[in-house]
Amino acid sequence: MPMFEFQIVSDTAKEAQQFMTAVQANDVNIEEWEYDVGTSTEKQECYGFGVTHYSPKQLQRFADEMGVVLAYAKNQEAVEQESDQLVQRVMRAREVVEAMNLTSEREILHQMLETYRRLEQGEAE
């Protein structure tokens, strides 16, 4: 059974927790953030992250019914593959830049970024 990684945005941690319970989420993380504290535009938002067997369409239905925003829902296997590819590109870029024997940290960072971009473009072609 495929699993889906998702993020929601709610007004309170209680709403986020209720959503997580309703969708039987695993690996739950709920973060409360405050913006513009002490100003007239001050607001609080809650970000909830989790993994569930419910599909993105089902998650959207739950979100609509419960008054939270579904920010994204992605197949967990696809997310893990993307993460693995990212790590592999970074590791390969590191190997290439290390072989250049650069001494300046600024130049090393610049070359890492440029090499990473070239590797990323090479995969897209």
Side-chain angles (χ1 to χ4, degrees):
M1 174 181 291
M3 298 294 285
F4 296 91
E5 185 176 297
F6 66 90
Q7 177 188 352
I8 61 162
V9 180
S10 67
D11 292 330
T12 67
K14 183 178 179 180
E15 285 178 339
Q17 187 57 55
Q18 288 172 339
F19 183 87
M20 298 299 173
T21 301
V23 301
Q24 302 168 4
N26 297 313
D27 299 328
V28 172
N29 181 24
I30 297 173
E31 300 175 2
E32 294 181 81
W33 288 75
E34 292 182 1
Y35 300 96
D36 300 328
V37 177
T39 69
S40 61
T41 59
E42 180 176 335
K43 76 176 196 176
Q44 177 182 336
E45 285 186 330
C46 238
Y47 300 95
F49 303 87
V51 176
T52 186
H53 65 278
Y54 285 105
S55 71
K57 188 179 262 187
Q58 291 169 315
L59 286 168
Q60 187 61 62
R61 210 171 304 127
F62 274 105
D64 292 344
E65 290 172 5
M66 299 181 80
V68 302
V69 175
L70 179 64
Y72 73 83
K74 296 180 180 178
N75 181 291
Q76 188 180 29
E77 187 175 314
V79 169
E80 288 174 1
Q81 287 176 355
E82 288 174 18
S83 296
D84 289 346
Q85 289 172 353
L86 171 68
V87 168
Q88 291 302 316
R89 282 193 300 269
V90 169
M91 297 292 283
R92 180 66 185 126
R94 183 174 155 250
E95 289 172 6
V96 169
V97 172
E98 278 182 352
M100 294 177 181
N101 294 318
L102 303 171
T103 56
S104 162
E105 285 186 31
R106 184 181 180 112
E107 185 60 24
I108 290 169
L109 289 173
H110 174 74
Q111 286 301 325
M112 279 286 294
L113 180 60
E114 290 302 313
T115 303
Y116 175 85
R117 286 180 178 159
R118 283 194 303 276
L119 291 170
E120 188 175 41
Q121 289 172 350
E123 287 179 5
E125 295 173 357

